[in-house]
Amino acid sequence: MYPVKEHLHRVLDALPEGVRLVAISKYHPAEYIMVAYEEGQRIFGESHEQEIREKHTSLPKDIEWHFIGHLQTNKVKYIVPYISMIEAVDSLKLLREIEKQAAKAGRVVKVLLELHIAEEATKYGLTPDACRELLDGGEWRQMEHVRICGLMMMASNVDDEQQIACEFQKAADFFDEVKARYFADEPDFCERSWGMSDDYPIAVQHRSTMVRIGTAIFGPRVY
Ligand SMILES: *Cc1c(COP(=O)(O)O)cnc(C)c1O
């Protein structure tokens, strides 16, 4: 079996205090998750509705599941009853659907707004302008079953560490702007979810509070 335990501890040891690990377990078997669970890891991230549903059903109930993928509005109702956080909200339409389904389920769902900073055209997410527009609209303030807890972003998938650092810094600066303009009185708005297997050492230097790491813990994914 893949040395999940050793790799998990290597990652945990490299994280500064105050940075939490979301162990990204997509495409990895429940046995791998259980190895990390036995070591005390409780936050896991998945990006497909059906896979997270199966794992949630069969694995311990004190796991906090984060949905990290692109979420279609018609899938929201399936994950809302148990999801701890939806990390990649990139439209008002999706936010509205989460509010609707969370109200039905009688719970409050934590979300992050996905910020698009990277140059790659294929990535999802809100540009800074689109993010301001969504927040200026103010509709989110009436949503009692959605709690916006911060921002999530993915840096460009490049080797140029300076470019990556620059993108994380832009995200950190934008976080400060959004915090001051819209969430100054809301302590819950505090999360900066950036950093993956290849770039988390850079992300934590640019004020990440939450890293999403899969490969460096569980090994390569078999699709
Ligand atoms: C798969 C995925 C990760 C983890 O990527 P690794 O390179 O395996 O660490 C992080 N964030 C998102 C949004 C992902 O889809």
Side-chain angles (χ1 to χ4, degrees):
M1 182 159 148
Y2 197 79
V4 170
K5 181 174 161 181
E6 289 72 15
H7 286 199
L8 172 72
H9 285 291
R10 196 179 301 161
V11 167
L12 287 172
D13 289 347
L15 295 181
E17 218 176 78
V19 179
R20 282 180 304 150
L21 170 65
V22 183
I24 304 302
S25 48
K26 62 189 184 196
Y27 296 99
H28 292 294
E31 292 79 5
Y32 282 27
I33 296 178
M34 281 312 295
V35 172
Y37 180 90
E38 297 295 345
E39 297 304 305
Q41 179 64 25
R42 288 294 179 274
I43 313 177
F44 292 88
E46 293 275 343
S47 58
H48 293 97
E49 183 274 318
Q50 198 179 341
E51 187 177 358
I52 194 172
R53 189 195 323 179
E54 287 167 9
K55 287 173 172 169
H56 163 259
T57 305
S58 67
L59 288 164
K61 291 297 170 267
D62 62 341
I63 289 180
E64 291 175 40
W65 292 103
H66 285 207
F67 196 87
I68 58 159
H70 181 70
L71 182 58
Q72 292 167 293
T73 47
N74 62 348
K75 299 284 171 63
V76 170
K77 59 176 174 290
Y78 300 120
I79 66 168
V80 150
Y82 63 85
I83 203 77
S84 169
M85 182 179 270
I86 298 175
E87 289 211 19
V89 173
D90 62 357
S91 71
L92 181 57
K93 185 174 164 232
L94 180 56
L95 205 57
R96 282 179 184 145
E97 181 64 14
I98 297 169
E99 166 64 17
K100 183 177 149 193
Q101 297 301 335
K104 266 194 198 168
R107 50 184 314 245
V108 176
V109 172
K110 294 185 277 185
V111 306
L112 303 179
L113 299 178
E114 181 179 4
L115 189 60
H116 179 110
I117 297 265
E119 277 164 22
E120 285 140 306
T122 53
K123 293 247 165 91
Y124 293 107
L126 297 154
T127 62
D129 273 342
C131 195
R132 288 183 192 104
E133 196 181 305
L134 189 157
L135 292 168
D136 281 336
E139 192 179 323
W140 59 276
R141 292 188 193 274
Q142 268 74 58
M143 297 181 179
E144 291 177 4
H145 304 88
V146 169
R147 184 170 305 141
I148 302 177
C149 294
L151 303 178
M152 176 272 211
M153 67 84 77
M154 265 187 276
S156 295
N157 185 14
V158 295
D159 291 330
D160 182 351
E161 294 199 351
Q162 265 186 341
Q163 182 184 339
I164 294 168
C166 175
E167 292 176 2
F168 286 141
Q169 189 54 46
K170 276 187 190 160
D173 291 343
F174 188 68
F175 175 93
D176 290 341
E177 177 193 320
V178 167
K179 174 80 183 167
R181 271 175 74 169
Y182 308 97
F183 297 95
D185 301 324
E186 297 184 37
D188 284 337
F189 188 90
C190 63
E191 300 292 0
R192 294 175 291 274
S193 174
W194 43 84
M196 303 173 31
S197 291
D198 286 339
D199 58 18
Y200 75 90
I202 309 175
V204 299
Q205 289 173 0
H206 297 273
R207 300 171 52 218
S208 169
T209 60
M210 208 183 251
V211 289
R212 307 178 310 269
I213 300 180
T215 311
I217 298 169
F218 299 113
R221 289 179 283 274
V222 182
Y223 295 104

